Amino acid sequence: MDRPVLISAEKVSRVYHMGEVDIHALRDADLAVLEKEILVVLGPSGSGKSTLLNILGGIDSPTSGHIRYRERDLAAFSGSQLTDYRRASVGFIFQFYNLIPNLTARENVELATEIVPDPLDALETLDKVGLKDRADHFPSQLSGGEQQRVAVARALAKNPDFLLCDEPTGALDYETAKHLLRLMQQINDQTGLTMVMVTHNVAIAALADRVAKMRSGRVTEVTENERRADPEEIEW
């Protein structure tokens, strides 16, 4: 794909010290994320994909190597610059929705808009994910799929440069997961928002522009799909 690089990992390693044992979560991992693409990062549990996602998002830092965002090295960011990066540039979607239970759907989304300089309207964003009529419902009054769509709206309302999605369908049933994946494709088609989606589900790779495979802390292969499949075409 002939698109500019938005963010890249260059020879990134991450070692966690657990007592006398060193855990090598990443080993010289290289990955470039391109503007406006859907990139699926595929690998088994323990392959390092979530660690890489957290480092791209500024949640964790590499033991060695570099993360370059629009050609700027995150390692050179001050603490306040890194906080601003996490707040304004990155939208996070996790397997578990992390909604605040005593806030409505609208209030959960509005909470995210209060910390960024150029947010989208909370109610309009809920409308984009098909939940305008559920805006005043609490998480306990929503299905799992609806809660995940609120989480998507919360990430979108920050108006970020890209989304990082860690097993976003992991807690959903088959049909609801397909609905969410269709929504993510539609958002990418309509807005050009870059998305990085981590999953162990091989079938989901067909929905991406490109697929990065990970094993034992390394990116072993990056391939480009000739076409993006529709969620209705895949099964798992």
Side-chain angles (χ1 to χ4, degrees):
M1 298 178 68
D2 187 20
R3 296 180 182 176
V5 174
L6 175 64
I7 186 168
S8 62
E10 301 172 7
K11 300 296 180 186
V12 168
S13 295
R14 184 64 171 101
V15 182
Y16 297 100
H17 304 289
M18 309 292 288
E20 298 181 357
V21 179
D22 288 344
I23 307 297
H24 292 264
L26 292 174
R27 302 172 184 265
D28 291 332
D30 289 309
L31 183 65
V33 181
L34 307 182
E35 296 266 12
K36 300 184 179 181
E37 76 169 337
I38 296 179
L39 174 67
V40 164
V41 180
L42 189 65
S45 178
S47 62
K49 56 190 188 298
S50 291
T51 300
L52 181 56
L53 199 77
N54 288 338
I55 290 176
L56 290 173
I59 294 175
D60 200 355
S61 56
T63 304
S64 61
H66 299 277
I67 300 294
R68 300 192 190 279
Y69 166 68
R70 300 195 188 279
E71 301 301 321
R72 299 175 65 198
D73 192 342
L74 290 194
F77 281 26
S78 67
S80 61
Q81 286 176 319
L82 199 56
T83 297
D84 289 343
Y85 168 75
R86 287 191 297 263
R87 284 178 175 174
S89 298
V90 190
F92 295 96
I93 301 171
F94 300 103
Q95 176 175 350
F96 300 104
Y97 326 120
N98 298 326
L99 301 180
I100 297 175
N102 61 340
L103 297 182
T104 64
R106 185 207 307 251
E107 290 167 341
N108 266 280
V109 176
E110 287 174 341
L111 199 63
T113 67
E114 292 172 359
I115 62 172
V116 295
D118 189 27
L120 305 179
D121 180 80
L123 191 58
E124 289 178 5
T125 309
L126 282 168
D127 192 28
K128 285 182 182 177
V129 301
L131 287 178
K132 185 176 182 180
D133 62 339
R134 308 284 275 167
D136 295 321
H137 288 67
F138 293 95
S140 62
Q141 299 171 310
L142 303 173
S143 68
E146 288 171 332
Q147 290 184 58
Q148 186 61 298
R149 280 190 279 156
V150 173
V152 171
R154 180 179 57 190
L156 291 174
K158 290 171 61 178
N159 199 14
D161 284 342
F162 61 101
L163 289 185
L164 296 178
C165 314
D166 195 355
E167 300 280 4
T169 63
L172 304 178
D173 63 75
Y174 180 72
E175 290 301 328
T176 305
K178 281 196 168 190
H179 183 85
L180 179 69
L181 292 169
R182 187 181 306 108
L183 173 65
M184 302 295 279
Q185 274 197 343
Q186 289 172 350
I187 290 168
N188 175 263
D189 286 338
Q190 293 167 7
T191 69
L193 182 61
T194 302
M195 300 180 184
V196 182
M197 193 178 303
V198 157
T199 183
H200 65 276
N201 187 338
V202 176
I204 291 176
L207 308 179
D209 294 295
R210 294 189 307 141
V211 181
K213 295 181 180 178
M214 293 192 69
R215 185 172 295 278
S216 302
R218 292 185 172 90
V219 178
T220 58
E221 182 183 21
V222 179
T223 57
E224 184 175 339
N225 288 330
E226 291 186 7
R227 59 175 288 271
R228 294 199 315 205
D230 185 275
E232 292 305 315
E233 299 173 25
I234 66 170
E235 295 183 359
W236 63 83

